Amino acid sequence: MIRLLRALQGRLKEAGLPEGEALDLLALATGLSRKDLLLKLPEPPPPGAEERAWALLERRLSRYPLQYLLGEVEFFGLPLKVEEGVLIPRPETEGLVALALTLPLPPRPRILDVGTGTGAIALALKRHLPGAEVFATEVDEKALALARENARRLGLLVHFRKAPLTGGLTGLDLLVANPPYLPEAYREEAPPELRYENPLALYAGGEGLAVAWPLALEAERALRPGGFLLLELAPENVGKLAEALRERGWRVEVLRDLAGRDRYLRARRPPQEAEG
């Protein structure tokens, strides 16, 4: 098994992929957990494991996403099922959840996650804010079915709706979203792995704001006075949306991710505004 692990690591390194993925592929091929393999590599490999490991490696070398091969990712401590064609939850979005948990929300807030995908944001917020009434909208049927399955598996109550943007919801204390935000031109230079995800969850017009801007406008009606809008955007366009919202009277901050890049927009609807 040590020989096999090193061989897998070597092939991944040659392809410019993380060597650490070898252990994930080996875990999938053997049916053992990554933790078990770290503790002790079985010798010899279980029957058929070597053949399965090489087949998985070839799939990965074709730049098929590791997360889809594994069928599951961990997001903010939650094991989420993932499938080809549905956006893979990423570490940057964990930062969005962490920011949401620092907001001065009421004891039983009404929260909406727009474009929920696997349900990652909505489910993480429900887990950490059990008193919250959490809604999630999504237009893609496959993603919506996957989000509902993840909610069932985790035993978390989230109200899922097939609807665009806010779906007409009002009286919200927090509207949070990781909308598609990549400029259309980025398709030409995007990593090959992205072609397996839904492009509607990735790309949003020339500036990457074709979804975020209409969503921000709907937020003016959906949020209560003093409610929060929290978005993950690209470093190239988050400042543009922030400035547009300031001009409309919002109190806006642009916050950085762990890599030091402008990533998150935190905006508060002016509390003096009348609802409606």
Side-chain angles (χ1 to χ4, degrees), residues 16-99:
L17 294 169
E19 293 180 52
E21 293 186 2
L23 205 57
D24 293 301
L25 297 177
L26 207 51
L28 192 59
T30 60
L32 300 170
S33 71
R34 203 176 193 275
K35 181 180 178 181
D36 287 340
L37 290 177
L38 282 170
L39 292 173
K40 182 175 175 60
L41 291 173
E43 295 290 357
E50 187 162 357
E51 293 77 7
R52 289 192 293 272
W54 286 115
L56 289 167
L57 176 71
E58 290 307 313
R59 191 80 169 110
R60 182 66 185 107
L61 293 179
S62 74
R63 304 303 291 269
Y64 191 75
L66 176 68
Q67 296 90 335
Y68 290 152
L69 285 173
L70 299 175
E72 186 176 281
V73 299
E74 183 174 304
F75 180 85
F76 219 81
L78 299 179
L80 297 178
K81 184 178 178 182
V82 292
E83 292 179 356
E84 181 178 332
V86 180
L87 188 73
I88 297 167
R90 289 168 167 80
E92 292 86 352
T93 308
E94 291 185 314
L96 191 69
V97 173
L99 285 171

Side-chain angles (χ1 to χ4, degrees), residues 163-179:
L165 301 181
T166 63
L169 284 167
T170 58
L172 299 171
D173 299 293
L174 170 62
L175 194 164
V176 60
N178 171 26

Side-chain angles (χ1 to χ4, degrees), residues 148-218:
R148 286 175 170 146
E149 181 179 349
N150 280 325
R152 286 194 297 270
R153 291 170 69 226
L154 295 168
L156 295 170
L157 176 60
V158 170
H159 306 286
F160 293 102
R161 296 185 175 192
K162 186 175 188 297
L165 301 181
T166 63
L169 284 167
T170 58
L172 299 171
D173 299 293
L174 170 62
L175 194 164
V176 60
N178 171 26
Y181 58 65
L182 296 176
E184 192 65 35
Y186 184 69
R187 284 184 193 246
E188 298 177 8
E189 58 185 277
E193 284 87 348
L194 290 192
R195 67 176 178 263
Y196 296 99
E197 298 185 69
N198 186 345
L200 295 178
L202 295 167
Y203 304 99
E207 289 188 321
L209 294 174
V211 175
W213 177 238
L215 176 58
L217 293 179
E218 285 199 20

